[in-house]
Amino acid sequence: MSAENNTLDIFILDKAYKIACPPAEQDNLQRAAQFLDRKMREIRGSGKVLGLERIAVIAALNISHELLSRQQADSEPQVSPEAMAGLLKRMEVALTES
């Protein structure tokens, strides 16, 4: 099997990325890329965050927050969801101001 068969073209904010990925994982990677693209478009559409790098950081923080919130629901929380949401909001404000 050639390396060509182990890559997948994904699109995030209309930019193409060629990602190495085993064929068995390509559907999952495609869904993850579509999810990330939606999140980044939502953030860009809000007009509060400019620049691809900042949009990507905010999207990563939001997705991380969602993941941690779900994990915390299954175990004893170390950081409250309210505290995490407050932190994310402060980071978003700081990034939009600089």
Side-chain angles (χ1 to χ4, degrees):
M1 182 177 290
S2 72
E4 224 19 67
N5 293 336
N6 290 328
T7 62
L8 179 66
D9 290 325
I10 62 170
F11 296 88
I12 299 173
L13 292 182
D14 302 321
K15 183 170 178 163
Y17 298 89
K18 187 174 284 291
I19 307 294
C21 181
E25 293 296 318
Q26 288 185 357
D27 286 342
N28 287 336
L29 178 60
Q30 189 67 44
R31 281 194 299 275
Q34 291 168 349
F35 181 78
L36 178 58
D37 182 65
R38 278 193 310 273
K39 291 291 188 182
M40 290 179 70
R41 287 178 187 280
E42 288 171 12
I43 292 165
R44 183 179 68 181
S46 75
K48 295 178 183 177
V49 181
L50 300 176
L52 183 59
E53 183 177 312
R54 292 177 188 276
I55 291 170
V57 168
I58 296 299
L61 286 170
N62 288 338
I63 292 167
S64 297
H65 176 254
E66 290 174 18
L67 176 64
L68 289 173
S69 293
R70 288 184 183 144
Q71 288 176 346
Q72 289 174 351
D74 294 336
S75 64
E76 185 177 316
Q78 296 176 359
V79 177
S80 73
E82 294 83 13
M84 181 64 82
L87 176 61
L88 286 171
K89 186 67 177 167
R90 286 192 305 248
M91 292 178 76
E92 186 175 323
V93 168
L95 285 170
T96 59
E97 290 175 354
S98 57

